[in-house]
Amino acid sequence: MAVPPRRPTRWSRRLVRVAVIVCLVGFLAAVGSIGVAAASAGTSHADPVGAGPEVPLQVDEQCDPAADGVVVRFGDDNVVSGSLAGDCPADPYVHVEDSSETLTIDDGVVRTESGEKATVDGKEIHQFDGQEPDLLVSDGEFVNSSLVVDDDGFVVLEDDGDQHLRVDDDRVRFDGDPRLSLEILEATSEVAEGESLDVTTEVEYLGYHEFDGTVTVTMANESGPVEEFESGVSLQHRESTTTTESYETKNGDAPVIDISSSIGGAPGTVGVAAPPDHASVDVEEAKIVLDVADHNRPAEGDDLEVTAELERIGDVPRDDYDDQFLMEFFVDEDRDGDWSRVSSRAVDPVGGSSSTTETFTYSTSEGDGPDVDVGLTVFDGDISDDPEWHNRVDHRTVPVVSEDAYKQEATVNLTSWNAPEEGDDLELTADIEHDDLPDGSHTVPVVFYANGETIEERSVALSGPGSDSVSESFTYETTQGDAPDVTAGVRTPGDRQSESVRVFGSGFQVEILETNAPVNESERMQATVAIQNIGDIADAQDVRLIVDRAGDDPDNRLERRQDNASINLGVGETTTEQFSYRTGSNEPPVVDLIARSENDEDRVTATVRPDAPRFEVTEIELPESAEAGEEVPITAEITNEGAAGGTQYIEIESADELVHIDRSTLPPVENTTVTFTDTVPEGEETVEYSVSTENHTATESLSITGSTQEPTEASADPDETESDDEPADDDEPAGTAEPSEPSEAVEDPESGISWLRVAVGAVVFFVLVVMVLLVTAATLLYRNDPENFPPDGDTIRAHAEAAASRAKTTLAAVVTAAKNGDVGTLKSILGLGPGTLVVQNELPRAATVRVRCQTADDTVVLEDMELGPDERRDLGSLPNVSQFKVGAGVDDITAHEEVFQGVSGDIGVVLRTDGILIANHT
């Protein structure tokens, strides 16, 4: 009985699919590579027709004519071959007169491009290798002369300027490349009427022949041109020169002078004109200006000093400016428009573009503050007839500080104080400061007080103008009863500052003997306090229980009185008092209980269990030292200090890396031990281990013995590496390297080598594909019928036809899915599900985790990874099966494992502070 062939297994079918996809991807990659190579070869030729707008050559660039061209070079004006051109114009070729046909060297003889010979008096022009210049007239036996360009641009014999180079009867000439540039380099930026305006123009000649021309500079105001300057210039090729013209501005040139600079002339026989250049200069009108330039800030009763500046703008000659000016000073004390003349004086004439200052004084009086208006006028005749009256008046509002005003602005800053015993002096230091004093010396009344009583009054002297500060010391003799503190301070008319100063006295000494801590939230906290009178007299004091709810924060104090008792004790007597208070629902887990009398205090720390789990790291055990590479145990005791049971993760970190994670469930007040073994790292002197819960972190260090510090980069062998700071000899900074010749390793785009490599690569690829298909087919045949392997020819043919049909169908499906962007179909063809396995770290620190995805037959994913805070990572596609499971953890993956059935979306593994979540990911 014939045994029917077995159906191909799932993995056999998947192998076929993978092989088909590999073939398809390889084929597409080869086609892409060929296309890229073709594109590279097609675009590698220099200067293709229609490649873009031509960039005109600049004359001052290095020319690069064809070696067989006939050109003119700078320096000696010789006509030479392009191989000897050296420094030459941008377009150095000579040409036949009235034609654009240039000359070339063909078989050592100068000809036109069409083949006609160029001659001088019937003699040919030959190229002589090794000669300088290399183009010489020869009759076949004797060398006559070299060629030059004359002043008219024609090519002639160097020895006989009347003998022209001709093609038939047409002379050969060189038009050159005449260019001029014109620029106004500089013009006076600030000028007033009557002052000089200087203009500098630069002319640069970039042509071949000598240039003679004229630079014209025209000045114009709003009414039109006012003056024109002309300067002759003579330039050789590549020369530049500057001209400077000076124009004396006049009355009426304001507000602006327009400057135009142009050039005209002829280099040889070729006319040249450069575009003109333009500029504008602001011109200030000539006038007399009066300004309140400066003033002081007096106190009431002191002199107000006002400085007036009289400035003459410009230097236009005017008769009315040559006489004395009358300057008057006015004050409006009440600022109501009622001006009073204070003083006036004659001022000597002011020279052109210069100024003079005058100072006027007004004696202020009480009531002038906080400010007064001052005014100045200047005129040289009747004010009503003066057309520039508006330029000769200025007024300002200036401050006059009243005595009360500047005293109110004085401030106090307490800088230091001591803590005396009762009966000793309390010493306090304060800075008396002022930020904006008026001129002169001023006194500020200062009061020193203690417990609301004035101890001392004094006057402090401050000096203006501006800011000033004086440090003052004050003393108060404490007495019996001042303990435990005295409120001492300093005040000025406008400011005060005080401080509660501790005073130690001989009185009630307190000590907290015991508490009922820890207590749960909302339960009553109790403290038993021993109180003893160690003073010299019997006394009654109020002893208080203070709770500092910032108990575990030494930088803050959140004190509040919760209980108190009045205690009477004779000298040397002792009593015990119990204080209590009810804790709140939001009580911090650690508080400070303070028993305080008027003379003493005692403080203990107490624990309040929250109505929730609170895992504290109560102890860490590890050796004091260990050898590098040695395995050491780390043991941590974890206690639930909360009033409720709960589950938390315990994390152990070393060198900021998570090395162990555990999970513990504890009832209230119970503890557990977490143990972990670690290998001591190399190259360190100490290693620090921190153990963390959600509520608490504790740290211990271990010393490493026999450890050798890793050599730093600075100690590396200098012969082994080169400095990264210095580029290699052949390196050039980016953007500055000159174009270089192609290296030998770069293939010539016209040589066809790149296409040959592409062809060879394609052949090799398809040979590999054929081998893969043959191996795949053989494998399938063996799995289907191992007893009849190797099969006969008909069986091979039948299997090959079936495989080709399936491959064709699969390939068509892949192409369709790729065109439509259908990733799900592509995954399905490869046996992959549509979903993705995602891992995300929501912890505020880096974390290490192992993730595994399994089907009934296979482990699809097994990976250890470290993720930074908020980092997300995709591990790949989920299996295309009806059921699979996903697990995650540090050591024990099965502790956090979930089974999924019929899932079509993504699965997420999320690391959170409350544990690892494995679920459908959104």
Side-chain angles (χ1 to χ4, degrees), residues 617-622 634-637 689-691 698-700:
V617 182
T618 51
E619 186 178 5
I620 300 177
E621 292 184 2
L622 72 163
I634 297 98
T635 302
E637 182 180 87
Y689 291 97
S690 63
V691 181
T699 302
E700 288 289 342

Side-chain angles (χ1 to χ4, degrees), residues 402-568:
S402 66
E403 182 178 0
D404 291 340
Y406 75 74
K407 290 179 180 178
Q408 286 288 332
E409 295 172 357
T411 60
V412 178
N413 180 29
L414 300 183
T415 57
S416 65
W417 54 88
N418 64 341
E421 296 281 347
E422 279 185 339
D424 295 335
D425 287 344
L426 184 157
E427 297 176 352
L428 181 144
T429 302
D431 287 343
I432 311 302
E433 302 172 333
H434 202 295
D435 291 335
D436 192 15
L437 284 163
D439 292 354
S441 179
H442 309 278
T443 59
V444 176
V446 174
V447 176
F448 172 55
Y449 59 90
N451 287 336
E453 296 184 3
T454 298
I455 306 302
E456 181 188 357
E457 296 181 1
R458 69 174 71 166
S459 295
V460 176
L462 298 172
S463 297
S467 61
D468 194 16
S469 175
V470 174
S471 180
E472 296 285 323
S473 295
F474 303 90
T475 301
Y476 164 68
E477 185 179 354
T478 63
T479 60
Q480 182 74 26
D482 280 338
D485 50 45
V486 168
T487 301
V490 177
R491 67 171 179 264
T492 64
D495 190 28
R496 69 170 59 203
Q497 189 175 12
S498 62
E499 184 67 32
S500 179
V501 180
R502 179 67 182 271
V503 177
F504 295 94
S506 57
F508 283 19
Q509 185 180 68
V510 294
E511 179 184 4
I512 299 177
L513 299 178
E514 62 178 357
T515 69
N516 65 333
V519 300
N520 297 332
E521 282 184 355
S522 303
E523 292 183 350
R524 184 168 290 277
M525 177 77 76
Q526 297 176 349
T528 302
V529 180
I531 308 164
Q532 181 181 10
N533 184 358
I534 61 173
D536 298 328
I537 58 174
D539 196 6
Q541 287 193 16
D542 185 53
V543 179
R544 293 152 287 171
L545 176 67
I546 309 294
V547 177
D548 184 358
R549 288 180 169 80
D552 58 352
D553 185 357
D555 297 327
N556 290 310
R557 296 177 66 182
L558 296 174
E559 296 184 357
R560 184 176 180 182
R561 188 180 69 178
Q562 297 290 353
D563 197 5
N564 68 298
S566 180
I567 307 296
N568 288 279

Side-chain angles (χ1 to χ4, degrees), residues 595-615:
R596 181 177 294 166
S597 69
E598 295 178 4
N599 315 107
D600 190 26
E601 70 175 36
D602 190 23
R603 178 187 295 252
V604 298
T605 300
T607 301
V608 179
R609 298 192 189 98
D611 191 17
R614 179 177 176 84
F615 284 26

